[in-house]
Amino acid sequence: MSMFTASVPDPGPVAPPGFADLASDLLGWLKWGVLVAGVLGILICALMLIIGRRNRSATAYEGLVGSAWVIGGLALASVAALLVGAFQI
C-alpha cells in the first residue's frame, strides 16, 4: 500500500500589480525619516547633557536616559526587515 503525499504550496509574498514601486518609495522615506529623527534625537540628548552638567542634574539624567531610548529605537529600526523576515508565516 503506497501513500501519496502532496506538498502544500508555500508561495512567497508578492506585491499587487503597481504597488511594488510605491511600497519601495514609502519604505525609503520611512528609513530616511528614522535616520533624521535619530540624528536629531542624539543631538538633543547631547545638548541636554551639556546644559545639565552644572547644577541641573535632572536635565543631564533625562538626556542620558533619552539617548538610550534613541539608540534603542535606531537599533530596532536597523533590524526591522530581519525581524519581520524571521516571523513570516
Side-chain angles (χ1 to χ4, degrees):
M1 192 173 187
S2 66
M3 299 188 95
F4 294 100
T5 58
S7 62
V8 178
D10 187 17
V14 177
F19 281 98
D21 290 336
L22 177 63
S24 292
D25 287 343
L26 287 174
L27 287 174
W29 295 337
L30 285 172
K31 285 180 181 182
W32 180 83
V34 166
L35 289 175
V36 170
V39 169
L40 188 63
I42 292 291
L43 289 175
I44 289 171
C45 290
L47 183 64
M48 289 174 72
L49 282 170
I50 292 167
I51 291 172
R53 183 178 178 274
R54 300 245 179 201
N55 299 326
R56 292 180 196 89
S57 60
T59 303
Y61 174 77
E62 290 296 324
L64 188 61
V65 171
S67 64
W69 281 103
V70 171
I71 291 170
L74 288 171
L76 183 62
S78 69
V79 297
L82 181 66
L83 285 173
V84 171
F87 293 107
Q88 277 186 355
I89 296 174

